[in-house]
Amino acid sequence: MKTIGEKLLNKYRSLPNQGIGFFIFAVLLFWLKTYVTYLAEFNLGISNSMQEFLLFINPLSSAVFFLGLAFLAKETRFYRWLIIINFILSFILYANIVYYRFFSDFITLPTLTQTKNFGDLGGSILELLRWYDVFYFLDTAILAVIIFSKRFSLPQVRAGRLKKGVIFSSAILMFSVNLALAEADRPQLLTRTFDRNYIVKYLGVYNYLIYDAIQSMKSSTQRAFANKSDITTVLNHVQATYAEPNPKYFGVAKGKNVIYIHLESLQNFVINYKLHGEEVTPFLNSLTRDPNTFYFDNFFHQTGQGKTSDAEFMLENSLYGLPQGAVFTTKGQNTYHAAPAILRQYGYTSAVFHGNYKSFWNRDEIYKSFGFDHFFDASYYSMKDEDVLNYGLKDKPFFRESIPLLETLKEPFYAKFITLSNHFPYPIGEEEATIAPATTGDGSVDRYFQTARYLDESLKEFFDYLKESGLYDRSVIILYGDHYGISENHNKAMSQILGKEITPYEHAQLQRVPLFIHVPGVKGGTIHEFGGQIDLLPTLLHLLGIDTKNYVHFGTDLLSPDHQEMVPFRNGDFVTPTVTSVNGKYYDTKTGEPLEETPEIQRLEQIARTKLDLSDKVVYGDLLRFYTPKGFEPVDPSKYDYNNRGGYNNRESKEGSAQ
């Protein structure tokens, strides 16, 4: 008795265009698989019947075009080419599935340059795999069985110019119709949006790859064609949006040390949150009541694909991360006017402390461009097996082992500590978990509270040292969350945690991260001002008595009366105290109620777009090489060496050099 597959193939074999039947069969399988994947794996925000239709048809043109490339092979190789192309496309689709499960985003070509990071991702990737993932290669397996099985007799394929022309013309026509309908529903789709979700929703994941490749090529040519005149527009903008420092706070921390503590994946909802009747972060909660600490409860991360590295980039430069990939890995050789280099003019020694190896995120190169004197990476720490988990050294041994390194630095110093333990998938040993996990059934969400507690305990230990040593009273201490820890793929579990549905509006509000600024002798308190990571550098410099007017900063002082309470996100969305913009829809920030688009909302959108566009021009064009602020000494990266316990070769630590 013949199988269904044999009947279909025998039918296709009788077609006059030999091999076209098998090609159609492969296209249909691939089209169906891709569409099911869209529905099952990606949250693309479908809001009308046109978008539903486009989501359904957009894989078709890609399937016909790419699988049609098999007709370019010699007759005997057609079927092998078809399988190879199908497998490559399936692998690309699956790679995006795994990437999306954590980042809620799609892979770009620049992210593929971050290969130095891949060796440390093993545990995270395993957490993202599912037993049913074999489905995404099922069509490849079916085609392989048919082609290589002796039970099937496949016809020879002869594809003349006419047949090839019809196939590729059909693919182009399908794409043209797809694009026309997409433009009708979302005008200027390819020119105005920063959001990859839009491109995939309207044009498909494979056409998105072509779009991404074109965007990458465009960005790579911008530096070559940039010139001095390009910086003028940028300078005009940043000077027009400059916020005068608040006289009450300007210079109140002059000459004091600066200690940044990078709180990995910590979102603001955990502050003052109780699980099983216990505070998750009792120490951080206490800082909200500290008389000399400012706590900002409307502070948002603004990271893109660079995540942690984007947060660092904004922190050091008050420039936005890129729409594709990470500045750290793609623009490490650019000219920057970063915090360490600015503070060197005022006698500061700078250092980064990190319990991972220096090549991760290309830090060993870009830190030279920033002007960091010292980089204490994993090679400075014991890295005992029992102290290493997930992405590097656990937070408690990290801070303990950092203390003697910190004590080698000459004051005043600018020091940044990057924590690691509170990182997806949030593994923690039973002996270190001092709070029971949540009970949502989602492992990473349930463990998140345990690793957040561990981070909190490590911070308390470090603060105890700072107080005992006197550094607490001689230092500005800034703690900030770098990016979200729980992506929208875990909204079901988060709805149990927060007791409400996680709508797109609620998800946007969850992008708040903690910000604490301790300033000795200055009365603090809770600040409700809206702001983001882009605003940290000008805020710090004004506290230190350094005016930022001549620097290219896209953020403004959070303590200034002129601070603009507008927080652009990397995808073009934004939030203000009154309006939250998410995927082209608008909500009242206080109530979550939908809003109609108004001229004021359009104005806010234009402001967000202008800031992102101009910042991208600075980074892509390496425009700071054409401009040196008065009194600033440009960085010479060749003077830095983080190998063999080296640092900046013209500066000395307290003991001569960090040993």
Side-chain angles (χ1 to χ4, degrees):
M1 185 175 180
K2 292 186 177 181
T3 65
I4 295 176
E6 288 175 304
K7 291 178 180 178
L8 284 171
L9 286 169
N10 287 333
K11 180 180 178 181
Y12 291 146
R13 189 169 49 186
S14 66
L15 291 174
N17 290 320
Q18 292 178 325
I20 197 69
F22 189 82
F23 170 72
I24 293 173
F25 178 63
V27 166
L28 291 175
L29 281 179
F30 191 77
W31 179 15
L32 177 62
K33 177 186 73 176
T34 305
Y35 178 63
V36 171
T37 299
Y38 288 167
L39 299 179
E41 297 287 356
F42 304 140
N43 183 11
L44 299 174
I46 303 301
S47 58
N48 59 48
S49 56
M50 175 60 77
Q51 292 177 10
E52 289 178 357
F53 176 69
L54 289 170
L55 190 71
F56 175 67
I57 68 164
N58 73 44
L60 183 56
S61 63
S62 301
V64 172
F65 181 85
F66 288 113
L67 294 177
L69 294 174
F71 284 104
L72 301 179
K74 293 182 179 179
E75 297 173 6
T76 56
R77 297 181 181 177
F78 168 80
Y79 295 107
R80 292 178 184 272
W81 273 44
L82 197 67
I83 287 184
I84 292 170
I85 294 170
N86 179 283
F87 176 78
I88 292 172
L89 293 174
S90 298
F91 182 81
I92 290 170
L93 179 65
Y94 183 62
N96 275 282
I97 290 168
V98 175
Y99 190 83
Y100 194 92
R101 284 173 180 168
F102 180 66
F103 292 106
S104 297
D105 201 352
F106 297 93
I107 295 172
T108 65
L109 290 180
T111 61
L112 299 180
T113 66
Q114 298 161 15
T115 53
K116 289 184 179 180
N117 296 3
F118 294 167
D120 292 321
L121 297 180
S124 296
I125 292 176
L126 289 175
E127 184 76 15
L128 297 170
L129 303 183
R130 305 286 184 269
W131 66 266
Y132 52 80
D133 287 352
V134 293
F135 164 79
Y136 300 115
F137 295 92
L138 183 60
D139 61 324
T140 310
I142 291 172
L143 296 179
V145 168
I146 293 173
I147 290 172
F148 295 111
S149 173
K150 295 181 180 179
R151 296 179 62 191
F152 301 97
S153 177
L154 298 176
Q156 267 197 333
V157 177
R158 296 186 181 89
R161 291 182 180 180
L162 179 61
K163 181 186 289 186
K164 294 173 185 175
V166 169
I167 290 171
F168 292 119
S169 297
S170 299
I172 293 170
L173 178 62
M174 292 174 194
F175 174 74
S176 300
V177 171
N178 188 161
L179 181 60
L181 293 174
E183 283 284 343
D185 192 68
R186 176 68 179 181
Q188 296 179 289
L189 171 68
L190 299 181
T191 57
R192 292 184 59 186
T193 182
F194 295 94
D195 193 339
R196 284 170 286 277
N197 268 19
Y198 274 99
I199 306 298
V200 174
K201 174 169 64 177
Y202 284 107
L203 302 182
V205 71
Y206 309 105
N207 290 324
Y208 154 74
L209 287 175
I210 297 173
Y211 169 83
D212 175 60
I214 294 171
Q215 293 297 102
S216 296
M217 286 189 290
K218 284 173 59 179
S219 70
S220 66
T221 62
Q222 287 185 35
R223 188 183 191 281
F225 290 101
N227 56 59
K228 291 182 179 180
S229 63
D230 294 327
I231 194 66
T232 304
T233 303
V234 175
L235 289 170
N236 290 338
H237 171 81
V238 297
Q239 289 169 7
T241 56
Y242 166 75
E244 293 279 352
N246 189 330
K248 181 179 178 181
Y249 299 113
F250 186 74
V252 295
K254 186 175 182 178
K256 293 192 180 296
N257 303 312
V258 177
I259 298 174
Y260 264 111
I261 302 178
H262 178 110
L263 306 175
E264 173 62 45
S265 301
L266 197 70
Q267 292 175 239
N268 198 59
F269 78 88
V270 300
I271 304 300
N272 292 316
Y273 182 86
K274 289 187 176 181
L275 180 68
H276 312 307
E278 295 183 58
E279 290 181 303
V280 175
T281 56
F283 174 70
L284 288 175
N285 295 350
S286 72
L287 293 183
T288 67
R289 304 182 292 274
D290 184 86
N292 301 125
T293 299
F294 295 99
Y295 166 54
F296 294 80
D297 60 359
N298 286 312
F299 182 76
F300 292 79
H301 85 85
Q302 297 169 282
T303 64
Q305 288 190 321
K307 292 300 183 287
T308 290
S309 68
D310 278 1
E312 285 194 73
F313 184 69
M314 285 183 277
L315 169 80
E316 306 296 354
N317 298 279
S318 195
L319 297 170
Y320 292 97
L322 294 175
Q324 299 165 290
V327 178
F328 268 44
T329 56
T330 61
K331 301 296 177 182
Q333 306 301 319
N334 275 14
T335 297
Y336 297 106
H337 304 155
I342 294 172
L343 292 177
R344 177 177 298 118
Q345 327 298 319
Y346 299 87
Y348 279 75
T349 303
S350 56
V352 179
F353 300 78
H354 186 40
N356 199 340
Y357 290 94
K358 61 181 180 288
S359 62
F360 197 80
W361 280 123
N362 197 41
R363 287 186 174 101
D364 55 338
E365 295 301 324
I366 199 166
Y367 281 172
K368 296 175 185 177
S369 297
F370 290 173
F372 273 109
D373 297 326
H374 302 285
F375 180 16
F376 300 109
D377 77 323
S379 65
Y380 287 80
Y381 297 88
S382 64
M383 304 301 285
K384 298 176 183 176
D385 289 344
E386 63 269 24
D387 291 337
V388 174
L389 185 66
N390 208 15
Y391 279 70
L393 195 61
K394 297 175 185 176
D395 292 344
K396 289 183 180 180
F398 165 65
F399 281 118
R400 291 170 192 157
E401 294 186 38
S402 295
I403 289 171
L405 299 172
L406 177 63
E407 291 175 343
T408 68
L409 299 182
K410 180 182 177 181
E411 297 188 44
F413 57 72
Y414 174 81
K416 178 169 63 178
F417 296 82
I418 303 174
T419 64
L420 285 170
S421 294
N422 191 50
H423 194 293
F424 181 87
Y426 313 108
I428 188 169
E430 290 184 14
E431 69 284 358
E432 292 170 326
T434 58
I435 189 172
T439 56
T440 67
D442 184 322
S444 58
V445 172
D446 292 348
R447 293 188 300 272
Y448 180 79
F449 299 94
Q450 296 179 298
T451 54
R453 166 67 73 82
Y454 178 82
L455 168 61
D456 188 74
E457 292 170 346
S458 72
L459 294 171
K460 184 180 184 306
E461 288 184 7
F462 187 54
F463 268 67
D464 287 343
Y465 157 74
L466 294 175
K467 291 175 180 178
E468 292 168 5
S469 66
L471 285 174
Y472 185 78
D473 296 321
R474 302 198 302 272
S475 307
V476 174
I477 305 171
I478 302 175
L479 305 93
Y480 73 103
D482 65 339
H483 55 75
Y484 65 78
I486 301 175
S487 70
E488 63 182 341
N489 296 304
H490 302 277
N491 280 352
K492 183 178 179 181
M494 282 301 295
S495 66
Q496 297 180 50
I497 294 295
L498 299 179
K500 56 185 174 183
E501 181 185 0
I502 308 301
T503 62
Y505 159 79
E506 292 290 352
H507 181 71
Q509 307 312 310
L510 280 172
Q511 304 317 300
R512 287 177 172 86
V513 292
L515 174 62
F516 299 91
I517 302 178
H518 162 77
V519 186
V522 176
K523 184 179 179 181
T526 299
I527 305 292
H528 303 303
E529 197 88 359
F530 276 59
Q533 292 162 333
I534 201 77
D535 302 313
L536 276 174
L537 180 55
T539 304
L540 169 65
L541 292 180
H542 285 177
L543 286 170
L544 298 177
I546 302 170
D547 199 338
T548 62
K549 189 167 188 177
N550 292 325
Y551 287 96
V552 177
H553 291 166
F554 285 90
T556 56
D557 183 352
L558 289 164
L559 298 171
S560 168
D562 299 329
H563 170 69
Q564 186 180 33
E565 294 189 85
M566 134 79 70
V567 184
F569 297 123
R570 184 56 266 190
N571 65 357
D573 293 343
F574 65 86
V575 63
T576 75
T578 56
V579 180
T580 295
S581 168
V582 183
N583 294 332
K585 296 181 180 179
Y586 312 102
Y587 306 88
D588 185 306
T589 298
K590 293 181 180 178
T591 67
E593 292 298 316
L595 298 174
E596 294 296 325
E597 186 174 15
T598 64
E600 173 61 13
I601 289 176
Q602 291 175 347
R603 185 184 73 85
L604 293 172
E605 279 193 323
Q606 184 59 50
I607 290 172
R609 190 175 302 118
T610 298
K611 288 180 180 293
L612 293 167
D613 276 344
L614 290 176
S615 178
D616 289 347
K617 286 182 179 179
V618 171
V619 179
Y620 282 133
D622 192 12
L623 298 185
L624 295 183
R625 63 192 157 127
F626 300 124
Y627 172 70
T628 302
K630 184 178 180 180
F632 178 80
E633 181 182 346
V635 172
D636 180 356
S638 68
K639 291 185 176 181
Y640 297 82
D641 179 12
Y642 302 133
N643 296 313
N644 302 317
R645 311 247 167 184
Y648 181 56
N649 64 16
N650 287 344
R651 295 184 66 81
E652 296 181 353
S653 70
K654 185 183 296 184
E655 300 299 330
S657 64
Q659 298 294 328

